[in-house]
Every structure is written in C-alpha cells, then in structure tokens.
Amino acid sequence: MKTPRSWWHEWAAPLWIGCNFSAWTRLLIHNRFAVHWSRWHFAVLYTFLSVVNSVLGLCQQAVFGRRVAETVIADPPVFIVGHWRTGTTLLHELLILDDHHTAPTGYECLAPHHFLLTEWFARWAGFLVPKHRPMDNMELSLQHPHTFIYPAAIAHRIARRRRPPTPSTHRS
C-alpha cells in the first residue's frame, strides 16, 4: 500500500513538465527514448502536456506577443548567481522585499511558454509541488517568487545539459 508521500513523490511535477513539444522531443531523442516500461504512462502524459504547452505558447504569442516585444526594461536586471547552499536564496528573499525588485513565480518558471495566458491556473495546480523545499524547509508554492530558474531554462531550450548539474554530474 502506498503512503501519501510515496503517491505524491511518484506524481509530483518534474522539472520538464513545462517543456514544449520540440524540447520534449529533443530530450527523448537525446536519451534514445530510454523510458522504462513502468514509466510509459508518464512519457505519454508528458508528451500530451508538451503539445498543450506548445499550443498555449502559440496562443500566448498571438495575444501578448506584441506587448511583450514592445516592453521597455528601464533598469538593468539583477542576477543572483551562486552555488547551491551558499545563501543565494536568502539574498533573493531579502531583495524581493524591496518593491523595486521582482522575481518570477514558480508557475512562471514551470510554464514559461504560456504563463501570461494561464497564470490563473496556478492556484489549482498547487498540489503538484510540495509545501516546503526538502533541503531547507523553506516555503514553496507556484505563487511564490522562485529562485530556481533551471525549470525555465530546461522548458525553453534543452540545449547542452540534459539534467540539472550536481556535484556528481558536473563536467567542465
């Protein structure tokens, strides 16, 4: 019998849930479609979601494309770059207390192709993420500002890296 934690762990949203179809296809091709038979249902689900993300991305481009392209960024952005567990999240949390700073929400990171169109959906999709980060028990939700931008990068273009860099997988 599965415990609630194991059920959530199995169905929790992975980083690549926001991929569009071309990024998801590149990821599958790069890994030679190596999906274990016990996970085929996830591959079918993520393929379906990647098509949905692509269609919603086209809709967002049609509705908001011109306004986004014409947006003027008055001040240069601030990027917080650092290794995990070095205080970057604390610095981020302190900066966003100032009204002059902002950061993408968890939903904007997980749905970079269509968040302008579908951000209302984030409040109903909150069950897909844990309430706290496992490594430091900090609050986590799709509505909170998000410091981990890798989901946006992997969803936008799966380029050189095919998995999150960790000390055991880092290559120079």
Side-chain angles (χ1 to χ4, degrees):
M1 182 170 153
K2 291 189 175 192
T3 66
R5 180 163 168 40
S6 66
W7 176 90
W8 177 90
H9 213 49
E10 182 164 334
W11 285 96
L15 296 178
W16 51 85
I17 200 165
C19 285
N20 62 17
F21 184 71
S22 64
W24 174 244
T25 304
R26 285 193 306 273
L27 182 62
L28 287 173
I29 290 169
H30 175 78
N31 290 291
R32 297 186 180 112
F33 295 90
V35 178
H36 191 272
W37 66 267
S38 68
R39 297 294 186 244
W40 283 353
H41 59 288
F42 289 120
V44 170
L45 173 64
Y46 301 150
T47 301
F48 172 76
L49 290 175
S50 71
V51 171
V52 170
N53 289 332
S54 295
V55 170
L56 288 172
L58 292 172
C59 293
Q60 176 172 291
Q61 182 64 26
V63 173
F64 295 105
R66 180 174 293 156
R67 283 190 278 178
V68 169
E70 293 172 352
T71 300
V72 176
I73 300 174
D75 298 317
V78 174
F79 292 93
I80 302 170
V81 180
H83 198 275
W84 297 335
R85 315 298 310 141
T86 61
T88 55
T89 300
L90 175 61
L91 177 58
H92 175 267
E93 295 289 328
L94 291 172
L95 280 173
I96 61 172
L97 292 174
D98 183 351
D99 291 338
H100 292 95
H101 300 292
T102 188
T105 65
Y107 187 77
E108 291 167 353
C109 289
L110 287 175
H113 301 293
H114 56 80
F115 69 87
L116 292 173
L117 200 62
T118 61
E119 191 138 33
W120 57 269
F121 179 70
R123 74 183 101 156
W124 286 289
F127 70 92
L128 293 172
V129 295
K131 300 291 182 221
H132 296 92
R133 294 187 342 180
M135 71 283 284
D136 55 13
N137 206 32
M138 286 194 68
E139 194 171 342
L140 182 64
S141 79
L142 293 176
Q143 291 85 14
H144 278 84
H146 209 284
T147 60
F148 191 44
I149 305 302
Y150 197 79
I154 196 169
H156 179 64
R157 295 278 182 229
I158 297 177
R160 294 175 44 181
R161 291 203 182 272
R162 300 298 194 249
R163 59 184 174 225
T166 62
S168 62
T169 61
H170 175 73
R171 289 178 238 172
S172 299

